[in-house]
Amino acid sequence: MEESKNIQLKEFTRNILVIRLSAMGDVAMVVPVLRVFRATYPDVKLTVLTRKFFAPMFSDIENLEVYPAEINGKHKGFFGLTRLANELNKLGINEVADVHNVLRSNVLKTLFLLRGKKVAQVDKGRAEKKALTRPNNKVFKQLKSTHQRYADVFSALGYPIDFLTHNFPKKQALTKNILSLTQGSTKKWLGIAPFAQYDSKTYPLELMVEVIETLDKENRFEIFLFGGGKKELDILNNIASKYNNVINVVNKLSFEEELKLIGNLDIMVSMDSGNAHLSAMYGVHTITLWGVTHPFAGFMPFAQPIENTILPNLAKYDQIPTSIYGNKIPSGYEKVMYTIKPEKVVEAVNKLSL
């Protein structure tokens, strides 16, 4: 069993199981919700069911236990989920907050209902999102934020929370590995995460290089590049090798250390992707670049002003958003992000660095 390093031995009145198995950005969006919950209900234990890899995201929340779901191992399939439910039941689970609402969590939900446990499940607002993304008769309006949808699950269990009471954690101490990487730089620390799951919401690399080159010349920023995978590693290494103030972070730090570094940034520039939610959950100024997706769908990074979002030309590409996740691209919409000029991104960074 994987436990948060902050867990303390004490008596709890209840134990709520929180289910959010993936993906990284969605798991990160749960964090501020649980911070507020912990501050509001200190006598209720939280047990978060998620991937073991994601456990460091919850390290600043006291009295929270992360239980790793081995969905590709012993918890795979129906019988594996039954085994998982039996394991969790031994922890004294009283209530279940399913903030995932997928096939696996639905199976777990049913198994706990059969045990007489109270269960609440997130409403993803599928009908509203379909209306927002359809090409004809589009209902273009701001939908409820994903953070609020998660909070509504706890309200349904009888635990209403108010985001106005949220407090970001203090900046975490840097490890030797991070200090070696940052080399004691006293410049503004700028993170750039130039990739996303889909090309439709990834800023063209040649334009991002223009952004990096301009900011590097200003000599005011230490620029850290974030990403993952062999292809991204090679691309980012190539970029970093050309500039004095640019450091590629990929494969140089553990995920826990990456989070510590992200939490100490001054600014993060990201796509509509997981990295935006990682930086936002620490209160870092987060600039997001959007392609065929749109903030109205409810995936704005936590507590970030709308001024920190940079959108393409919506007059020219009036079907945006074409999908919630960026996986649906109408013909002719392949280059929407080219309408975001590098100068606009640079201007946004400089404005937040004053």
Side-chain angles (χ1 to χ4, degrees):
M1 186 187 306
E2 183 75 16
E3 296 185 349
S4 164
K5 64 182 180 181
N6 288 329
I7 191 167
Q8 302 171 1
L9 295 176
K10 62 172 286 184
E11 293 296 324
F12 295 95
T13 57
R14 311 289 288 173
N15 186 357
I16 296 181
L17 175 67
V18 183
I19 303 174
R20 181 69 235 192
L21 303 172
S22 60
M24 185 171 71
D26 297 280
V27 176
M29 283 189 281
V30 178
V31 173
V33 180
L34 298 188
R35 282 200 199 110
V36 177
F37 184 98
R38 167 54 58 240
T40 310
Y41 306 100
D43 294 328
V44 180
K45 182 179 179 181
L46 292 168
T47 300
V48 178
L49 178 68
T50 192
R51 288 176 51 194
K52 182 178 180 179
F53 179 79
F54 296 142
M57 293 188 197
F58 303 93
S59 64
D60 68 271
I61 305 176
E62 294 184 349
N63 301 315
L64 179 149
E65 176 181 354
V66 173
Y67 197 94
E70 299 180 35
I71 54 180
N72 294 316
K74 67 177 181 177
H75 300 143
K76 184 177 181 179
F78 177 76
F79 293 108
L81 291 172
T82 302
R83 182 182 298 112
L84 175 58
N86 290 333
E87 293 172 12
L88 291 166
N89 196 53
K90 294 176 182 178
L91 302 180
I93 299 298
N94 303 107
E95 294 150 308
V96 178
D98 176 12
V99 295
H100 200 170
N101 193 354
V102 293
L103 179 59
R104 289 190 182 97
S105 68
N106 280 322
V107 172
L108 289 170
K109 177 191 74 171
T110 302
L111 292 172
F112 275 101
L113 282 171
L114 291 172
R115 287 176 166 87
K117 309 299 181 183
K118 186 176 182 179
V119 177
Q121 191 172 54
V122 66
D123 175 8
K124 293 185 174 181
R126 290 187 174 94
E128 300 169 88
K129 290 174 180 176
K130 184 176 181 180
L132 176 65
T133 56
R134 65 194 179 202
N136 300 314
N137 300 315
K138 183 186 292 289
V139 181
F140 189 66
K141 67 176 184 178
Q142 178 68 60
L143 303 185
K144 183 182 293 186
S145 74
T146 300
H147 302 94
Q148 187 58 54
R149 291 184 186 278
Y150 291 165
D152 289 347
V153 177
F154 291 98
S155 293
L157 290 175
Y159 303 94
I161 60 176
D162 185 348
F163 285 120
L164 292 176
T165 66
H166 178 271
N167 290 306
F168 288 105
K170 295 179 180 178
K171 291 186 180 297
Q172 298 184 55
L174 301 178
T175 65
K176 290 183 179 179
N177 281 344
I178 300 173
L179 292 171
S180 175
L181 194 67
T182 58
Q183 299 177 346
S185 174
T186 57
K187 298 175 182 177
K188 292 283 187 180
W189 286 11
L190 169 66
I192 295 181
F195 302 106
Q197 183 178 4
Y198 298 105
D199 290 342
S200 64
K201 56 180 188 177
T202 300
Y203 196 50
L205 191 62
E206 65 268 30
L207 300 187
M208 184 59 81
V209 169
E210 286 187 42
V211 172
I212 293 170
E213 184 170 320
T214 301
L215 293 171
D216 179 73
K217 287 179 180 178
E218 291 183 7
N219 203 34
R220 296 191 302 116
F221 299 97
E222 201 68 53
I223 303 171
F224 301 96
L225 304 180
F226 293 86
K230 179 65 168 63
K231 181 181 178 181
E232 294 181 8
L233 172 64
D234 292 341
I235 291 171
L236 297 182
N237 273 334
N238 182 53
I239 293 172
S241 68
K242 298 177 180 178
Y243 304 101
N244 294 327
N245 302 307
V246 181
I247 299 169
N248 179 21
V249 174
V250 179
N251 284 2
K252 294 179 181 177
L253 300 172
S254 67
F255 181 56
E256 185 173 4
E257 288 175 318
E258 276 199 25
L259 290 178
K260 291 180 186 294
L261 175 57
I262 288 173
N264 279 273
L265 295 175
D266 294 294
I267 303 168
M268 169 68 89
V269 175
S270 174
M271 308 301 106
D272 168 25
S273 68
N275 282 288
H277 299 295
L278 292 179
S279 57
M281 76 182 191
Y282 292 115
V284 173
H285 294 300
T286 302
I287 297 168
T288 45
L289 279 59
W290 301 71
V292 298
T293 57
H294 193 280
F296 276 10
F299 291 94
M300 270 277 291
F302 182 72
Q304 296 293 317
I306 193 66
E307 292 77 19
N308 286 1
T309 62
I310 303 179
L311 306 176
N313 187 332
L314 300 184
K316 182 177 181 180
Y317 297 103
D318 58 5
Q319 288 187 34
I320 291 176
T322 66
S323 67
I324 299 301
Y325 303 109
N327 55 327
K328 296 178 182 178
I329 314 170
S331 177
Y333 275 60
E334 295 82 5
K335 294 187 176 182
V336 294
M337 294 198 86
Y338 279 91
T339 62
I340 298 176
K341 301 304 179 185
E343 297 80 9
K344 190 169 185 178
V345 181
V346 171
E347 179 185 2
V349 171
N350 283 325
K351 184 177 180 180
L352 287 176
S353 67
L354 296 176

